[in-house]
Amino acid sequence: MTIARTICLGFIAVISVGTILLLFPITTSDGSWNDPITALFTATSAVCVTGLAVVDTGTHFSFWGQLIILFLIQIGGLGYMTTNTFLLLVIRKKFDLRQKVAIDQSFDRPFLQGSRNLIISIIATSLIFELTGFFLLTNLFSDHDNTIWLALFHSISAWNNAGFSLFSDSLMSYQSSLQANIIFPILIIFGGLGYQAIFEMFMWSKQKFEERVLNKNTEQIIFSLNSKIVSNTTLILLFLGTVAFFLTDFSNARVFGDLPLHERFLGAWFQSVTTRTAGFNSVDISNMTNAGLFITIAFMVIGASPSGTGGGLKTTTLRILINSTISTLKGKTEVIVYERRVPVNLILKAVGVLCASFTLLTTVTALIAITDPNLSFIQILFEVCSAFATVGLSTGITGSLSPLGKLIIIATMYIGRVGILIVINTLVKASPPSLIKYPEENLLVG
Amino acid sequence: MTIARTICLGFIAVISVGTILLLFPITTSDGSWNDPITALFTATSAVCVTGLAVVDTGTHFSFWGQLIILFLIQIGGLGYMTTNTFLLLVIRKKFDLRQKVAIDQSFDRPFLQGSRNLIISIIATSLIFELTGFFLLTNLFSDHDNTIWLALFHSISAWNNAGFSLFSDSLMSYQSSLQANIIFPILIIFGGLGYQAIFEMFMWSKQKFEERVLNKNTEQIIFSLNSKIVSNTTLILLFLGTVAFFLTDFSNARVFGDLPLHERFLGAWFQSVTTRTAGFNSVDISNMTNAGLFITIAFMVIGASPSGTGGGLKTTTLRILINSTISTLKGKTEVIVYERRVPVNLILKAVGVLCASFTLLTTVTALIAITDPNLSFIQILFEVCSAFATVGLSTGITGSLSPLGKLIIIATMYIGRVGILIVINTLVKASPPSLIKYPEENLLVG
Ligand SMILES: [K+]
Ligand SMILES: [K+]
């Protein structure tokens, strides 16, 4: 079995177990059996850390139902990294070409080759962030009866960028809380950055500490290209998103137009943080202006960083595409990012991710426009992009989708999480590489 | 002055003259002065062969106004090719790197280097198609008073993929006419194919004729990669479009759902032909389903072929992007199309066209969502994509856009026609090419 297939089936297995568990009456607060589509939707949404919900997580599910959801989120969030790493370590065999492609796509991190310690450090990092978040959130939620459970659930959900909330209005009650606007963003941003960037930042901080405070003479930490791109692009996108949302809904009283200026800023900031993959919301999405919704869609599709808990096209893909554009404008034939040349196969992969993603988004949007013709177009496009990029924001239509529409969204969440190229790779039989060297020919483009 | 700048300014000059001419009372049927935005919009739409109209061309403009519009269409349609060719021949100087980039983008057709005869053959081809179309259309329009003028106007408008019609409902009265569903598509498709493909097809037919009928032993015509891609991709897209529109609006009585089956097929076929750049419509666009509108948007953005009279991303760009995706799925590091290797600079150019276009479309859509908040999102997205891809289809909102919205659409039509990379190239000062060779570094994509 190829790695691509293993990843695809692994996710299906976890989702299946989750679906079966969520069917049972013990998982609902009114003790009734869940209908299969609700169970499947919730399990998929949790394992894929998407956060779209057809029912209100906080009221529909019992404590046990919520616990299962939280386990699925944790497995889904950790799984992407550790399962893959584990598979690689266990299987320990030579990979054929087709497997290499799959690994390349799910796992091409030079940094992550080798040791079993890696898995342990990934789990440890997750635990440290989740526990820190938990303690900080107990303070935020101290006026609730079930403070502990709320803090634990939201900390894990935020770190894994899952976007599931036990409040039926997500975090809208905490719109103006400075505390909430700091704790959640930190969990979300670091969770979305990916382990490699976090490790390198940690190593760098440690080295600086040893050098400056302990006066030790240690080796300089050189950031990998991945970490540089991921951290810089994330910062730029966070800034642009804040400005964009601040402007589009500045005077929209149904979002934050009637709040004091600094609270409008907080709302825009939180929306900028959450949109690219987390999926919590501190403002009322369904009342956003078309401009705000459309910019949300654009940011959702861009997504988070690879090897983190987020989805979308990924910041690295975006950066390669932008720098390719700059290269062609300058008449250059190579793509440079931070004084490093980007290999052609990575450019092709970025193009592949983009094209396959747009084809999927277009097809799914058209299909849902057919299955649910009563919905407005922007609601459909929003829902589809949210599902694909495992964001979980919604204009509120998720629960009222037709059964067929729900199944299509389930498939979209799955493909978005596993990775579109990996899914295609599993479905399509690759041909052996050709040894023929074809001549070049010029062509008219654009 | 660079070529890129010459092209940009050339279009502006023609648009300016057209705008001034269209201001005068002699151009309107009621003898009043046109307001500046109407004149500017109409002139830009005509020169850019877009076809979006803020007023009804057939009733608002007098014969003289319509004649000016027709001239602008003819200049705009021919201009792209001949002006460029002419410029190259006249200027006859060495180009610096920056100019080369611009030329590359507007003109990289190995086939079209050299002789002045080329311009003559381009004009001749246009005249032959336009005159043939004219004669055939005199028959179609024979029950009208002004048959000659209608036939001339629509023939030129169709060949140049301009989409301007003198009927206020475009070609909806000819929805079920077999004649209209053959003549218009032939003019539109060949006009959109581009001169190179037409020339090669002509040469090929001539060679086959000489070989089979005259028994001459002539040299085989080898189709260029461009012609192969352009003709095959066009055929595939025509087929897919027909199927898609047939399905999305099959049971939509407000489009063609209440017509006999074969007329529904004709409607879908015409829509498939016209959507990728021509901009006539034989069905009521404003009543299409969301699914139909969205697929129309997708086809509009894909657009026609380079060196033809159409706009959009272009079929060659699409093909390079698709084949890059296939390459990365197969784990290959080079892109092959019809047994020819695609050079890296063309891949980068395709990426550049795609990224720059999507950035523009996103920005403009968000801006119009702000300037015209009362419009539905799909209407805005539809209008913007139609303007950018010089299509000219509309859900009927063009005339009711705010003045600022109209100006934004004018700029979008201009950028879409001139070419986004050329516009950026003119605005941004290119840096001299660097001689530093940077090392490669791996990166996580997707
Ligand atoms: K999420
Ligand atoms: K047009």
Side-chain angles (χ1 to χ4, degrees):
Chain A
M1 193 153 65
T2 64
I3 295 288
R5 191 156 294 180
T6 313
I7 295 170
C8 286
L9 293 181
F11 268 94
I12 288 177
V14 180
I15 291 171
S16 305
V17 172
T19 306
I20 292 167
L21 290 177
L22 286 176
L23 282 173
F24 287 92
I26 196 175
T27 63
T28 61
S29 52
D30 63 356
S32 62
W33 290 77
N34 266 315
D35 81 284
I37 287 187
T38 303
L40 177 61
F41 198 105
T42 310
T44 309
S45 185
V47 175
C48 301
V49 293
T50 309
L52 285 175
V54 285
V55 292
D56 182 24
T57 315
T59 57
H60 179 88
F61 289 104
S62 66
F63 168 75
W64 295 106
Q66 294 168 6
L67 191 67
I68 292 169
I69 292 171
L70 199 59
F71 261 110
L72 295 176
I73 290 172
Q74 186 67 80
I75 293 170
L78 272 177
Y80 196 55
M81 277 301 296
T82 47
T83 321
N84 293 3
T85 317
F86 190 70
L87 275 173
L88 275 179
L89 296 177
V90 167
I91 296 178
R92 279 179 199 282
K93 56 168 187 175
K94 288 210 171 174
F95 302 101
D96 66 21
L97 178 91
R98 200 164 144 219
Q99 292 169 321
K100 278 228 173 82
V101 177
I103 296 167
D104 263 16
Q105 281 148 17
S106 68
F107 200 74
D108 59 350
R109 29 203 81 110
F111 168 78
L112 297 179
Q113 277 147 12
S115 114
R116 194 163 303 198
N117 295 330
L118 180 67
I119 300 181
I120 297 166
S121 23
I122 290 171
I123 296 177
T125 311
S126 292
L127 281 180
I128 291 168
F129 273 93
E130 287 171 352
L131 282 175
T132 314
F134 165 69
F135 285 116
L136 294 171
L137 288 180
T138 49
N139 183 35
L140 182 70
F141 296 141
S142 57
D143 52 340
H144 286 272
D145 292 338
N146 48 350
T147 308
I148 300 290
W149 180 234
L150 285 176
L152 187 67
F153 191 96
H154 286 94
S155 174
I156 293 179
S157 183
W159 164 256
N160 290 294
N161 277 263
F164 275 94
S165 171
L166 297 180
F167 305 114
S168 53
D169 61 353
S170 191
L171 299 176
M172 281 168 61
S173 348
Y174 300 90
Q175 187 173 43
S176 51
S177 152
L178 194 62
Q179 223 181 331
N181 276 293
I182 292 173
I183 301 171
F184 278 102
I186 287 178
L187 287 171
I188 291 168
I189 293 170
F190 279 93
L193 269 183
Y195 298 92
Q196 188 180 354
I198 296 175
F199 281 170
E200 289 184 17
M201 285 179 192
F202 173 72
M203 303 281 277
W204 183 84
S205 313
K206 194 178 144 203
Q207 189 259 328
K208 287 289 161 214
F209 177 80
E210 286 177 347
E211 193 181 275
R212 305 236 171 118
V213 183
L214 308 180
N215 282 315
K216 269 194 201 170
N217 219 342
T218 51
E219 218 181 326
Q220 288 287 326
I221 300 295
I222 296 167
F223 282 104
S224 66
L225 181 58
N226 183 57
S227 297
K228 279 190 217 161
I229 293 183
V230 157
S231 50
N232 283 294
T233 313
T234 301
L235 279 178
I236 295 169
L237 289 173
L238 284 173
F239 172 76
L240 289 179
T242 308
V243 172
F245 292 119
F246 191 71
L247 293 179
T248 59
D249 287 78
F250 185 80
S251 54
N252 182 356
R254 296 189 300 170
V255 171
F256 50 57
D258 55 355
L259 298 180
L261 205 64
H262 73 276
E263 291 194 12
R264 279 185 251 188
F265 169 77
L266 280 184
W269 152 253
F270 192 86
Q271 213 44 38
S272 176
V273 170
T274 194
T275 291
R276 279 185 308 106
T277 211
F280 294 104
N281 51 296
S282 74
V283 300
D284 188 356
I285 299 289
S286 62
N287 282 327
M288 272 184 117
T289 57
N290 273 344
L293 287 175
F294 185 55
I295 287 174
T296 304
I297 290 173
F299 274 92
M300 290 199 293
V301 171
I302 290 171
S305 302
S307 97
T309 49
L313 295 177
K314 307 280 158 54
T315 49
T316 44
T317 312
L318 179 75
R319 199 58 179 264
I320 290 179
L321 295 172
I322 289 175
N323 285 39
S324 301
T325 307
I326 294 171
S327 283
T328 201
L329 282 170
K330 288 185 176 170
K332 287 180 184 166
T333 54
E334 48 180 32
V335 179
I336 309 295
V337 190
Y338 294 120
E339 305 193 343
R340 286 289 176 280
R341 193 148 31 88
V342 179
V344 174
N345 66 320
L346 285 189
I347 300 171
L348 294 183
K349 201 189 285 180
V351 172
V353 169
L354 186 73
C355 287
S357 301
F358 270 105
T359 308
L360 180 78
L361 290 175
T362 309
T363 313
V364 170
T365 305
L367 285 177
I368 301 220
I370 293 171
T371 62
D372 293 80
N374 51 320
L375 296 175
S376 88
F377 177 73
I378 190 134
Q379 289 179 317
I380 299 172
L381 187 66
F382 194 99
E383 196 80 7
V384 170
C385 292
S386 177
F388 171 73
T390 70
V391 176
L393 292 176
S394 174
T395 55
I397 63 166
T398 323
S400 56
L401 282 169
S402 64
L404 199 56
K406 281 179 189 156
L407 289 174
I408 295 171
I409 292 290
I410 289 170
T412 309
M413 293 193 288
Y414 174 77
I415 297 171
R417 182 58 173 144
V418 172
I420 184 144
L421 293 187
I422 292 182
V423 173
I424 299 176
N425 237 289
T426 308
L427 298 176
V428 181
K429 210 169 172 64
S431 57
S434 161
L435 294 174
I436 305 166
K437 197 84 180 156
Y438 295 106
E440 282 194 358
E441 187 168 339
N442 211 355
L443 202 60
L444 332 183
V445 174
Chain B
M1 194 153 65
T2 64
I3 294 289
R5 190 157 292 180
T6 313
I7 295 170
C8 286
L9 293 181
F11 268 94
I12 289 178
V14 180
I15 291 171
S16 304
V17 172
T19 306
I20 292 168
L21 289 176
L22 285 177
L23 282 174
F24 287 93
I26 196 176
T27 64
T28 62
S29 52
D30 63 357
S32 61
W33 291 76
N34 265 317
D35 82 283
I37 287 187
T38 303
L40 177 62
F41 197 106
T42 310
T44 310
S45 184
V47 174
C48 301
V49 292
T50 309
L52 285 175
V54 285
V55 292
D56 182 24
T57 315
T59 55
H60 178 86
F61 290 104
S62 67
F63 168 75
W64 295 106
Q66 294 169 5
L67 191 67
I68 291 169
I69 292 171
L70 200 59
F71 261 110
L72 294 176
I73 290 172
Q74 185 66 81
I75 293 169
L78 272 178
Y80 195 55
M81 279 300 298
T82 47
T83 321
N84 293 4
T85 317
F86 190 70
L87 275 173
L88 275 179
L89 297 177
V90 168
I91 296 177
R92 277 179 199 282
K93 59 170 185 173
K94 287 210 170 174
F95 302 101
D96 66 20
L97 178 93
R98 199 162 145 221
Q99 292 170 322
K100 278 227 171 83
V101 177
I103 296 167
D104 263 17
Q105 280 148 15
S106 68
F107 200 75
D108 60 350
R109 28 204 80 108
F111 168 79
L112 296 179
Q113 278 146 11
S115 110
R116 195 163 301 200
N117 294 330
L118 180 67
I119 300 182
I120 297 167
S121 23
I122 290 172
I123 295 178
T125 311
S126 290
L127 281 180
I128 290 169
F129 272 93
E130 286 171 352
L131 282 175
T132 314
F134 165 68
F135 285 116
L136 294 171
L137 288 180
T138 49
N139 183 34
L140 183 70
F141 296 141
S142 57
D143 51 341
H144 286 272
D145 292 337
N146 49 350
T147 307
I148 300 290
W149 180 233
L150 285 176
L152 187 67
F153 191 96
H154 286 94
S155 173
I156 292 178
S157 182
W159 165 256
N160 290 294
N161 278 265
F164 275 95
S165 170
L166 297 181
F167 306 114
S168 53
D169 62 352
S170 190
L171 300 175
M172 281 168 61
S173 349
Y174 299 91
Q175 187 173 43
S176 51
S177 153
L178 195 61
Q179 224 181 332
N181 276 293
I182 293 173
I183 302 170
F184 277 101
I186 287 179
L187 287 172
I188 291 169
I189 293 170
F190 278 93
L193 269 184
Y195 297 93
Q196 188 181 356
I198 297 175
F199 280 170
E200 289 185 18
M201 284 179 192
F202 173 71
M203 304 280 278
W204 183 83
S205 312
K206 193 177 147 205
Q207 189 259 329
K208 287 289 161 213
F209 177 79
E210 286 177 348
E211 192 180 277
R212 305 237 171 116
V213 182
L214 308 179
N215 281 315
K216 271 194 200 169
N217 220 342
T218 51
E219 218 182 325
Q220 289 287 326
I221 300 294
I222 297 167
F223 282 103
S224 66
L225 181 58
N226 182 56
S227 297
K228 277 190 218 163
I229 293 183
V230 157
S231 49
N232 283 293
T233 313
T234 302
L235 279 177
I236 295 169
L237 288 173
L238 284 172
F239 172 76
L240 288 180
T242 308
V243 172
F245 292 119
F246 190 72
L247 294 178
T248 58
D249 287 77
F250 184 79
S251 54
N252 181 355
R254 296 190 299 171
V255 170
F256 50 58
D258 56 354
L259 298 179
L261 206 63
H262 73 277
E263 291 193 12
R264 281 185 249 187
F265 169 76
L266 280 186
W269 152 253
F270 193 86
Q271 212 46 36
S272 175
V273 170
T274 194
T275 292
R276 278 185 309 107
T277 211
F280 294 104
N281 52 296
S282 75
V283 300
D284 189 356
I285 299 291
S286 61
N287 282 327
M288 272 184 118
T289 56
N290 274 344
L293 288 176
F294 185 55
I295 288 174
T296 304
I297 290 172
F299 275 91
M300 290 199 294
V301 171
I302 290 172
S305 302
S307 98
T309 49
L313 295 177
K314 306 281 157 53
T315 49
T316 44
T317 311
L318 178 74
R319 198 59 178 263
I320 289 179
L321 294 172
I322 290 175
N323 285 38
S324 300
T325 307
I326 294 172
S327 283
T328 202
L329 281 170
K330 288 185 175 170
K332 289 181 185 167
T333 55
E334 48 180 32
V335 179
I336 309 292
V337 189
Y338 294 120
E339 304 192 343
R340 287 288 177 280
R341 193 148 33 87
V342 180
V344 175
N345 65 322
L346 286 190
I347 300 171
L348 294 183
K349 201 189 285 180
V351 172
V353 169
L354 186 73
C355 289
S357 302
F358 269 105
T359 308
L360 181 77
L361 290 175
T362 310
T363 312
V364 170
T365 305
L367 285 177
I368 301 219
I370 294 172
T371 62
D372 293 82
N374 51 320
L375 297 173
S376 88
F377 178 73
I378 189 134
Q379 290 179 316
I380 298 171
L381 187 66
F382 195 99
E383 195 80 8
V384 169
C385 293
S386 178
F388 172 73
T390 70
V391 177
L393 293 174
S394 174
T395 55
I397 62 167
T398 322
S400 57
L401 282 169
S402 64
L404 198 57
K406 281 179 189 157
L407 288 175
I408 295 171
I409 292 290
I410 289 171
T412 309
M413 293 194 288
Y414 173 78
I415 296 171
R417 183 58 173 145
V418 172
I420 183 144
L421 293 188
I422 292 183
V423 173
I424 299 177
N425 238 289
T426 308
L427 297 177
V428 181
K429 212 170 170 65
S431 56
S434 159
L435 293 175
I436 304 167
K437 196 83 181 156
Y438 295 106
E440 282 194 358
E441 186 168 340
N442 211 355
L443 201 60
L444 331 183
V445 175

